[in-house]
Each structure stands twice: as structure tokens, then as C-alpha cells.
Amino acid sequence: MLLSGVFATSCSDDEEILEPSVGVVDNLFAVPDDATGPEAELRRNFFKETGTYLMFNDLLSHTVIGQDAYGNDVYKDEYIDFTYNLTSSGGYAPIFEYITDDNAKEAAADLFLKHMYPHVEGSSLLPFSVLLVDNLQTAGYSGEYKDASTASCWRCLAVSMGKLLEATDEEAATLAKAVLKDLVSTHVGVYNDEFEEFLDLSYEYAGEYITDYIDDWDRSDMTLIYEMGYLSYMESWRGPQSDYFPYENVDFNNFFNAVMDRDEADFMAEFGEYPLIVTKYNIIKNVIISLGYKF
């Protein structure tokens, strides 16, 4: 009865309905309604066509939050956080060189639409936003920065477009493949559940000495490796007697690269007579296709 009275009091018709004190957060990736000019129009049209936000700068907002002791405005800047992902956080943020010319921005967007978008259109691989820059550098565990084709985080894929802008159409298509490969690689991995069958085919010999299974191994006959379902072997400086089969991750990367880099007809002409290789190739390709990727 006491509880009923409490609820009756708190839900009285005369009482004002409570509403959240915090308003709806603006989508900082979208073009502001009052923005005008070639870039704003380009970004709006890009979103209409693809459903992905187009960015040319990783600065999302530059907001006045007060004034300092001298009366100067104090700003709060929010950037796309390339050190944050769903499964990890931290590391070194990439360094960007931005595209500043409006014509170059339009050309970069056109190249993305021509060479990259058709492969991921309508799929789960399509990023929430793309940041097109002139050049980008990423750092490994050592902290040393090197040129890279892409950088990615939960909400954005950054793409280095400088070389593509200077390339012929054929060269641009080749460079775009490297970008697409980076994008797909963020969604697939050897220990994903989808590749359990692949692991089953690779696990038995992974990391094992080749001579334990091939008595006459002397590096002269690669068909012996292919028949075991591998595209390569790990060569030891101590000689053939210490060569070993690739570990699962190396084996997976070999097949992933073959799927993404090579023409299937050309690959099958070389390896089609080896059933294990064909099976492992098809496992990886079918998973990538299931994500919506179009070869």
C-alpha cells in the first residue's frame, strides 16, 4: 500500500512530465545546414549518393567555451579519434596532410566513387565516414611514422589520395586495390569464427618442420608444398632440413593476399590442380563476398 501511494503521488496528472536536461547531440560529421560553398555542396551530394559522410579534415568542431584572463576566446576542439576502435584504444594518432584545393577535393571524391565505392556499395564494409587527405602517416609500436594508404577507426576510414590524384586511370585502379584491401582486412581475421574450416585445414602442419612430412625436401619442388595446401613455406637460414610450414596467420595472409590481389582465373590456372589450395582460397573469398564485397 505504501508503494502504491508513492507511485500514485509521483505519477499524478497534475505533475509536469520530466524531460532530459541534455539536448540532442549534433552529428558533427554532417555538413552544417548553414554551410555554403563548393566543399559543402560536394559533401552533401556525396552523402546523398553513398550514405557515407565525406570529410576533408579530421577536426569535427571548434567551439568557444569561454574567455581567458585577457578576454581572448577559449576554444574546445573535437577531432575524429583514430586511436579508438571497438576492440582497442590507444597508440599513435596518424598525421595528415590535407587537401586544400576545391578542384582537388572534387577529383579525390570522384576517384573514390569510381574505383572504391562500387566494391563496397550497400555492404557492411562501407564506412560511416571517409576522410580524403593528400597524404597520411601512421606509426607502429616503435613510434616511427611512415607513409600509409589508409588509417581507420570506428567511425572513419582515412584514405591517402595524393598519389591517386597524380596517377593515370590504370594506376589509380591499382592503388585503389591497396585501399580496399586495407578496408577488408579490418573486417576479417584468421581467428574469426567464419574461418574455422580454414584453420582446421592448416592447423595440423602449422609451424612443423617440413622434413618431418616430406622426406626428400630440398626446396627444388614446390609442388610438394602445394599438395599440402600451402602457397609458400618458411625458409630457415640453417638449411632445408629446418624449413617449416607457415603458421596459421601467415598462411591466412598468403591466401587473403591471393584473393584480393590476383585474378581468380589466373590463380586457378596455377593452383587449380591442388584441391586443398582451392578449398582454402574459396573459404576466404566466400567470406569476403558474404560481407558484401564485390570483386
Side-chain angles (χ1 to χ4, degrees), residues 54-246:
L54 174 62
M55 316 294 290
F56 292 103
N57 196 303
D58 59 327
L59 178 63
L60 293 172
S61 66
H62 182 62
T63 309
V64 177
I65 58 173
Q67 293 182 321
D68 62 19
Y70 302 99
N72 299 313
D73 289 337
V74 177
Y75 292 89
K76 176 184 177 182
D77 292 339
E78 181 175 348
Y79 291 86
I80 302 172
D81 188 358
F82 280 91
T83 66
Y84 175 74
N85 283 285
L86 284 175
T87 57
S88 64
S89 181
Y92 298 93
I95 297 173
F96 300 115
E97 294 177 18
Y98 303 112
I99 301 172
T100 56
D101 179 76
D102 285 334
N103 290 330
K105 290 176 182 178
E106 184 174 358
D110 288 343
L111 283 169
F112 185 91
L113 291 173
K114 180 177 182 179
H115 293 293
M116 302 174 205
Y117 176 65
H119 294 279
V120 295
E121 180 181 2
S123 76
S124 60
L125 296 167
L126 190 64
F128 177 78
S129 66
V130 292
L131 168 63
L132 304 184
V133 296
D134 187 58
N135 188 56
L136 69 87
Q137 293 185 323
T138 56
Y141 293 110
S142 66
E144 181 182 359
Y145 277 87
K146 296 181 179 179
D147 288 345
S149 59
T150 65
S152 62
C153 63
W154 185 28
R155 298 188 295 175
C156 189
L157 170 71
V159 183
S160 177
M161 300 295 294
K163 291 182 179 179
L164 277 81
L165 291 172
E166 300 171 355
T168 65
D169 196 58
E170 184 177 351
E171 291 170 340
T174 300
L175 291 168
K177 275 190 176 182
V179 173
L180 290 164
K181 189 172 162 183
D182 285 352
L183 175 59
V184 174
S185 70
T186 64
H187 291 75
V188 299
V190 63
Y191 298 113
N192 291 15
D193 292 341
E194 297 91 338
F195 297 112
E196 184 176 350
E197 183 183 358
F198 183 95
L199 285 176
D200 288 343
L201 293 171
S202 304
Y203 178 77
E204 183 177 356
Y205 308 110
E208 297 289 328
Y209 288 119
I210 295 173
T211 51
D212 288 346
Y213 300 89
I214 304 175
D215 294 333
D216 55 351
W217 172 249
D218 61 2
R219 299 177 181 168
S220 64
D221 187 1
M222 281 298 295
T223 63
L224 299 173
I225 299 297
Y226 301 153
E227 288 169 356
M228 303 287 284
Y230 293 93
L231 296 175
S232 69
Y233 65 93
M234 307 301 291
E235 185 175 302
S236 171
W237 61 271
R238 291 178 293 183
Q241 73 279 0
S242 297
D243 292 342
Y244 53 97
F245 292 106

